[in-house]
């Protein structure tokens, strides 16, 4: 459905695109999951099986066009550092509790959607944590 929506979106009902973030900021969509290795996490986000199929992340987010040039992955020890850069201090403990047991944080910039309508959800490998606006 995601590929059809990307190709023939003008003919299909679509969810509205979120309003753009304020000037001088970016919206990051956060996902967390547990992968056996950093290589596996990176492969899930960036490695297409062939030129005719999208990356597993893009395939699993079927209601969103995702340009993986705007996707970042933090694994292991880098997860807490990434969270501190994104999450307001008052919410950091709650977020850390929410992703307890996960070793991977996937961050998708609003730019990844190319201005197209999108709907985000959990995937088989990741939980959608929500969107956060950060200063760029």
């Amino acid at each position: 459905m995601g590929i059809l929506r990307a190709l023939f979106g003008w003919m299909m009902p679509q969810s509205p695109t979120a309003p753009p973030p304020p000037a001088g900021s970016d919206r990051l969509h956060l996902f967390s999951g547990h992968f056996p290795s950093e290589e596996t996490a990176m492969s899930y986000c960036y490695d297409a099986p062939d030129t005719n199929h999208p990356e597993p992340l893009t395939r699993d987010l079927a209601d969103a066009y995702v340009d993986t040039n705007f996707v970042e992955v933090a694994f292991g020890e880098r997860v807490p550092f990434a969270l501190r850069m994104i999450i307001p201090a008052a919410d950091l403990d709650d977020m850390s509790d929410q992703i307890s047991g996960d070793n991977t944080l996937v961050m998708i910039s609003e730019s990844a959607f190319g201005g197209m309508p999108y709907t985000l959800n959990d995937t088989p490998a990741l939980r959608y944590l929500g969107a956060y606006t950060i200063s760029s």
Side-chain angles (χ1 to χ4, degrees), residues 16-31:
T17 299
S25 65
D26 191 10
R27 184 177 297 116
L28 292 180
H29 297 272
L30 304 183
F31 294 81

Side-chain angles (χ1 to χ4, degrees), residues 4-52:
L4 290 176
R5 186 176 303 253
L7 294 174
F8 302 105
W10 56 275
M11 295 172 31
M12 301 172 73
Q14 298 178 348
S15 61
T17 299
S25 65
D26 191 10
R27 184 177 297 116
L28 292 180
H29 297 272
L30 304 183
F31 294 81
S32 71
H34 189 87
F35 289 87
S37 67
E38 183 172 17
E39 180 180 330
T40 306
M42 300 294 265
S43 180
Y44 177 76
C45 293
Y46 301 120
D47 293 343
D50 57 56
T51 57
N52 294 321

Side-chain angles (χ1 to χ4, degrees), residues 47-91:
D47 293 343
D50 57 56
T51 57
N52 294 321
H53 295 91
E55 304 81 3
L57 172 67
T58 302
R59 181 197 64 228
D60 290 345
L61 291 174
D63 292 325
Y65 163 82
V66 180
D67 180 343
T68 58
N69 289 310
F70 297 96
V71 175
E72 291 292 331
V73 177
F75 183 83
E77 296 174 355
R78 293 191 311 254
V79 171
F81 296 110
L83 285 174
R84 281 195 289 264
M85 293 172 48
I86 300 165
I87 305 297
D91 299 331

